[in-house]
Amino acid sequence: MSIDQQKKFMREAIRLSMENVQSGKGGPFGAVIVKNGKIIATAVNEVTKSNDPTAHAEIIAIRNACEKLDSFQLDDCEIYCSCEPCPMCLGAIYWARPNAIYFGNSKEDAAEINFDDNFIYDELDISLNERKLPTIQLLRNEAQSAFIQWQKCEDKIEY
């Protein structure tokens, strides 16, 4: 794909982020998913609109694209994000397995307007008992039964 095409898709993600701010429906974030040079899904941040803290543009775009593709992976796709993905979105993007991530604003740019995810990155680097949000393992032996069952399952769909 040419740099001009990549810029076109990034401009669409940026346009969506601007439109979302102007509409008053959510934060300044937009995402576009492209396959074979065509946009297959778009989304904007809907956290406040839907009262859903996971309704980030990237997550919604992934859901829309996977539904359209009838797949749980974004094979041969690229995702264009108006801002560098947060830890949640980055994890979801890795699980969806696109070929590339392109972004406009950096996480530092986001922090400057009070969208700072550093506290999450910091929490991931410390032990469970040091985290600010109590993180406690409970009933591991019972929970293992589902994992054992999964391991033995012969007709599972790996992902």
Side-chain angles (χ1 to χ4, degrees):
M1 188 176 313
S2 75
I3 188 71
D4 287 338
Q5 286 177 302
Q6 292 168 337
K7 287 178 180 180
K8 178 181 93 169
F9 297 131
M10 180 56 69
R11 285 188 178 107
E12 178 61 8
I14 294 166
R15 185 192 70 74
L16 289 166
S17 70
M18 290 289 297
E19 185 177 273
N20 207 43
V21 171
Q22 292 161 356
S23 73
K25 293 181 181 174
F29 306 99
V32 171
I33 297 180
V34 174
K35 184 170 184 164
N36 298 326
K38 294 182 180 169
I39 294 174
I40 62 165
T42 64
V44 293
N45 177 283
E46 296 182 10
V47 170
T48 57
K49 177 184 170 190
S50 63
N51 292 320
D52 178 354
T54 69
H56 291 200
E58 298 90 336
I59 300 292
I60 296 169
I62 289 168
R63 290 175 183 158
N64 293 343
C66 287
E67 184 175 345
K68 182 168 186 171
L69 295 172
D70 194 28
S71 174
F72 53 83
Q73 292 187 298
L74 297 176
D75 296 326
D76 302 317
C77 293
E78 295 108 25
I79 185 166
Y80 294 81
C81 312
S82 64
C83 185
E84 185 175 357
C86 75
M88 175 184 69
C89 292
L90 186 60
I93 291 167
Y94 268 90
W95 284 120
R97 295 176 176 86
N99 289 352
I101 305 167
Y102 299 90
F103 67 92
N105 291 309
S106 70
K107 62 184 178 182
E108 293 79 16
D109 296 329
E112 286 180 21
I113 62 165
N114 295 320
F115 288 97
D116 190 354
D117 300 322
N118 279 328
F119 74 99
I120 297 172
Y121 290 109
D122 293 344
E123 287 286 290
L124 293 174
D125 284 336
I126 60 177
S127 67
L128 296 179
N129 63 350
E130 294 179 83
R131 291 185 180 169
K132 291 181 177 103
L133 180 63
T135 307
I136 303 137
Q137 188 172 23
L138 188 63
L139 298 177
R140 180 180 180 265
N141 290 337
E142 290 180 35
Q144 284 285 301
S145 61
F147 281 16
I148 292 166
Q149 213 172 15
W150 173 259
Q151 234 175 350
K152 291 177 183 177
C153 187
E154 293 182 17
D155 61 346
K156 64 186 168 213
I157 298 172
E158 299 277 351
Y159 60 98

